[in-house]
Amino acid sequence: VIEDIQHLPARSAGPVCDLIDRRLARRKALVVTSMSGPAELRQLPQRLTSRLAAGLVVPLELLGAASRRELLE
């Protein structure tokens, strides 16, 4: 799991790309979270954002108060 990739410094993108490539080669799952989709991560190199965009991208909305309450019950 790589959380909040939007905070990743551009200079660190190379090792993350290598990690993604190794996980794909071994058919291992990888979960990456971000506050925005790959196309909006303009501060990161295209090499990384293209790998992120090649996977399943799912936007999630914050739950409302009623939904949060129901989840906890």
Side-chain angles (χ1 to χ4, degrees):
V1 176
I2 302 173
E3 291 190 33
D4 295 326
I5 202 162
Q6 75 273 6
H7 298 301
L8 184 75
R11 67 181 179 278
S12 300
V16 174
C17 286
D18 295 340
L19 171 68
I20 293 170
D21 291 344
R22 284 193 308 271
R23 301 285 300 178
L24 286 172
R26 292 183 178 96
R27 296 181 172 266
K28 299 288 183 177
L30 180 64
V31 175
V32 180
T33 68
S34 176
M35 294 299 291
S36 55
E40 297 162 348
L41 297 172
R42 293 179 188 90
Q43 76 280 11
L44 296 176
Q46 192 267 337
R47 177 180 178 219
L48 176 56
T49 58
S50 66
R51 282 168 174 74
L52 297 174
L56 178 63
V57 178
V58 180
L60 300 176
E61 298 291 328
L62 293 175
L63 294 175
S67 297
R68 289 194 306 263
R69 218 175 296 107
E70 186 176 327
L71 184 64
L72 292 173
E73 293 176 351

